[in-house]
Amino acid sequence: MRKLLFFLLAGITFAVTSCRSDFAFESNTGGLEFSKDTVYLDTVFTNIGSSTYRLKVYNRSNKDISIPKIQLGKGLNSKYRLMVDGMTGDAGAQGKIFSNVELLAKDSLFIFIEVTSDVASANPTDFLYTDQIQFTNVSGAPQTVELVTLIQDAYFIFPHRTQNADNTFTYENINLGNDADGNPVTIVGSTLDHNDPINNDEYTWGNNKPYVIYGYALVPDGETLNVTHGARIHFHANSGLIIAKNGTLKINGLPSTTNDPADLSKEVIFEGDRLEPEFSDVPGQWTAVINFSTSPNNLINHLTLKNATVGILSNNLDLSLSNNATTQLTIKDSQIYNCSNFGILARSANVNADNLVINYSGQANIAATYGGTYNFTNCTFNNNWNSSKQAAVILNDYLETDTAYLSKPVTFNMTNSIAYGSNSTEISLEKKGTSFTTSFNNCLVKVNDLSQAIITNPLYDVLRLEQNGNKKNINPKFKNINKNQMWPTEDLFPKVTPNSLVSPNDILNKPRNATNANVGAYQFIAN
């Protein structure tokens, strides 16, 4: 009897509630509220889609309402796209028009916004592309939320594709030569062209508008890529720049004319193609500058490179013991930041650097491996990556294969420089061959002088015992490592005399002290 009574009461309750008018939606009469009155979509390149931005719409009333239309002001011609609470829009007007959108009392809904536009659609005076989201009602003019984005024109370099009979695509490849086993190495990319029908001469990257690279851009044998001061180069995901064995790279950045370290107006900048502020310091957005070139004329001046997987990879394509050709690279007054693996990874290479700053790398700022010749003067290497295995400098003379260690002679000179970071030891020295020559002079380094492995390893003696003017474990007191502000806030020790310096000026073109200069790339100047 009790069970029968329970089901009877439950049935009555269901019948009563099903007759309620909770979901009898009234037409919207206005009064909606919004999380923003204007949605600013960050700068995008012409014809490249933006990130997704969010707008929240509130119904503060006690009534369930139906919004007759949510639509873009430019209708089907708008370059913006919307998604409203998971709905894609009316048939034939997807992303543009949404009819009879229901919104419960005291509830809210999300609108997701994207844009893909060309620069020709933007205002010719300020390159802004604008529209608005209109929320119609039955009592007057629609409520609106403004949409604004800046469209930036650019040169695009990308691999061409050919459509196959089965509607798949074959992409242009570049041939990089043969590996150690004699097999050809190819990769999706495009060879630069002196007479590109759109970009004109692609062997000069100017500063009148940015370059955006898709896939890999190749500087082939016999050619030279010149990058003009002030140029801005953006790489898409899984993209990079490759210098062939007999090609040449010349990056011709210039020092700033102001005293502001943040002024990069005349620098050359290599970074990813995501321009939103939240991507400004995200590592691993693109691959690398890959240097296979043995030309002695490869020169990088005043480059800021950031957010790559490997900033610069320099090695011969054939790493066999029988190949003695070494890649060549000279770097001056440059900065490399936020690389997910290495700032510079060099194998059997010849690298000379003066006034070079590298900060934050997933494995190492500098990895000089499998032999080679390396000279680093007035450099600042700092690594606070959150890993117990990261280092500022890794130096070894070997390459590990499936069956053995291959070893080549190494010569490594580090002078008037800093190797610091968050781990107890920021320099890794490992020898497996017979020729391992190092020279550390007037450097400030981070080493764990209590580690038995370091105490018993003679490679560390000159650092651990503070010989040749070296000092250990002194905090450089950088301005702000999280913002890549790597200049000292105090007059650093050790000091060096100017005649031992490669450059009389620091990375900001400030003269070094006439009698004593700071180690590292920056000269301390008291305010």
Side-chain angles (χ1 to χ4, degrees):
M1 183 66 181
R2 288 182 178 178
K3 289 184 178 179
L4 180 61
L5 181 61
F6 171 79
F7 285 117
L8 179 62
L9 292 173
I12 294 171
T13 302
F14 175 78
V16 171
T17 57
S18 64
C19 294
R20 290 176 57 186
S21 60
D22 289 354
F23 299 102
F25 289 88
E26 299 184 8
S27 294
N28 175 39
T29 57
L32 297 173
E33 296 181 16
F34 310 104
S35 57
K36 302 174 182 178
D37 56 12
T38 302
V39 178
Y40 295 97
L41 287 79
D42 287 299
T43 304
V44 296
F45 290 115
T46 185
N47 290 322
I48 302 298
S50 71
S51 293
T52 302
Y53 293 78
R54 187 177 69 179
L55 173 71
K56 200 168 185 180
V57 183
Y58 301 93
N59 174 17
R60 306 289 193 190
S61 74
N62 296 316
K63 298 178 180 180
D64 302 329
I65 63 171
S66 175
I67 306 170
K69 271 190 174 52
I70 298 176
Q71 64 184 25
L72 289 162
K74 295 179 180 177
L76 299 181
N77 295 321
S78 179
K79 306 296 184 180
Y80 289 96
R81 301 180 299 279
L82 307 178
M83 178 178 284
V84 178
D85 252 12
M87 297 180 293
T88 59
D90 296 355
Q94 285 88 353
K96 313 294 183 182
I97 300 173
F98 300 76
S99 298
N100 302 317
V101 179
E102 297 174 344
L103 182 55
L104 295 174
K106 303 295 185 182
D107 203 355
S108 60
L109 59 81
F110 285 102
I111 297 180
F112 296 96
I113 309 159
E114 296 176 349
V115 65
T116 302
S117 178
D118 55 22
V119 72
S121 300
N123 187 321
T125 59
D126 56 17
F127 301 104
L128 293 177
Y129 181 72
T130 61
D131 201 348
Q132 61 180 208
I133 307 175
Q134 299 176 346
F135 301 81
T136 63
N137 58 74
V138 296
S139 61
Q143 292 181 265
T144 60
V145 172
E146 303 299 319
L147 304 176
V148 180
T149 191
L150 176 65
I151 309 297
Q152 188 166 7
D153 199 8
Y155 296 108
F156 293 89
I157 297 175
F158 54 90
H160 297 286
R161 66 179 187 177
T162 303
Q163 187 169 2
N164 303 315
D166 60 356
N167 291 324
T168 62
F169 291 94
T170 300
Y171 286 86
E172 178 185 2
N173 280 271
I174 52 180
N175 190 338
L176 301 179
N178 296 327
D179 62 16
D181 299 320
N183 300 315
V185 178
T186 60
I187 193 170
V188 174
S190 59
T191 301
L192 299 181
D193 187 347
H194 279 293
N195 298 293
D196 184 85
I198 297 175
N199 299 332
N200 298 316
D201 187 359
E202 294 180 332
Y203 287 97
T204 298
W205 290 358
N207 55 23
N208 62 322
K209 58 183 179 180
Y211 285 75
V212 182
I213 314 300
Y214 281 78
Y216 291 86
L218 173 67
V219 182
D221 290 342
E223 295 286 358
T224 298
L225 171 62
N226 283 284
V227 185
T228 307
H229 66 84
R232 301 294 183 258
I233 316 301
H234 300 267
F235 296 89
H236 193 63
N238 302 313
S239 299
L241 173 64
I242 299 176
I243 317 302
K245 180 179 179 180
N246 296 306
T248 303
L249 172 64
K250 290 188 176 181
I251 295 178
N252 306 303
L254 294 175
S256 169
T257 56
T258 72
N259 292 322
D260 182 5
D263 180 4
L264 302 178
S265 58
K266 292 191 175 182
E267 294 260 339
V268 172
I269 299 179
F270 282 13
E271 60 182 324
D273 66 345
R274 300 301 299 270
L275 305 182
E276 304 90 330
E278 58 266 31
F279 284 89
S280 62
D281 295 311
V282 176
Q285 295 181 46
W286 57 286
T287 306
V289 174
I290 302 174
N291 178 41
F292 295 134
S293 172
T294 59
S295 167
N297 299 318
N298 293 310
L299 178 61
I300 294 176
N301 266 319
H302 287 282
L303 168 69
T304 295
L305 184 157
K306 59 181 184 176
N307 304 334
T309 300
V310 176
I312 299 173
L313 169 62
S314 190
N315 66 251
N316 198 298
L317 191 64
D318 177 2
L319 288 173
S320 65
L321 283 171
S322 61
N323 193 324
N324 293 318
T326 58
T327 58
Q328 309 283 327
L329 186 62
T330 298
I331 310 173
K332 295 182 178 180
D333 303 304
S334 294
Q335 308 165 72
I336 300 176
Y337 299 132
N338 302 321
C339 294
S340 58
N341 287 5
F342 300 96
I344 295 178
L345 172 58
R347 302 187 186 100
S348 300
N350 186 336
V351 178
N352 296 289
D354 179 32
N355 285 340
L356 172 64
V357 179
I358 305 181
N359 187 36
Y360 276 113
S361 304
Q363 296 182 51
N365 296 144
I366 294 288
T369 68
Y370 193 34
T373 302
Y374 307 94
N375 298 289
F376 295 101
T377 306
N378 300 124
C379 295
T380 298
F381 305 137
N382 183 78
N383 203 357
N384 279 54
W385 195 276
N386 186 23
S387 167
S388 61
K389 296 182 178 180
Q390 59 84 358
V393 175
I394 292 176
L395 173 62
N396 67 51
D397 62 350
Y398 67 87
L399 177 69
E400 186 176 0
T401 70
D402 293 336
T403 57
Y405 287 101
L406 305 178
S407 180
K408 286 189 175 183
V410 63
T411 299
F412 184 92
N413 301 306
M414 186 168 166
T415 306
N416 308 336
S417 296
I418 299 172
Y420 206 78
S422 56
N423 284 343
S424 60
T425 297
E426 286 290 343
I427 293 185
S428 173
L429 306 174
E430 193 171 2
K431 172 185 175 184
K432 293 188 180 295
T434 58
S435 181
F436 196 100
T437 304
T438 61
S439 173
F440 294 92
N441 292 282
N442 295 305
C443 292
L444 192 162
V445 298
K446 185 87 171 284
V447 294
N448 182 0
D449 50 357
L450 301 178
S451 167
Q452 193 64 28
I454 290 178
I455 291 173
T456 57
N457 187 342
L459 297 177
Y460 287 91
D461 284 352
V462 69
L463 301 176
R464 181 177 61 83
L465 300 175
E466 296 187 321
Q467 299 170 350
N468 297 346
N470 296 303
K471 292 294 180 181
K472 63 185 179 184
N473 305 333
I474 299 174
N475 190 337
K477 297 185 178 179
F478 298 123
K479 175 69 173 179
N480 190 324
I481 59 174
N482 294 323
K483 295 182 179 180
N484 297 318
Q485 297 173 348
M486 304 305 296
W487 50 91
T489 55
E490 294 184 8
D491 203 4
L492 286 180
F493 186 87
K495 296 296 189 65
V496 294
T497 55
N499 59 13
S500 67
L501 301 173
V502 170
S503 172
N505 296 332
D506 74 355
I507 190 173
L508 298 177
N509 207 35
K510 296 178 180 178
R512 288 192 161 94
N513 190 294
T515 56
N516 291 294
N518 298 114
V519 293
Y522 293 92
Q523 173 67 28
F524 172 77
I525 298 177
N527 293 328

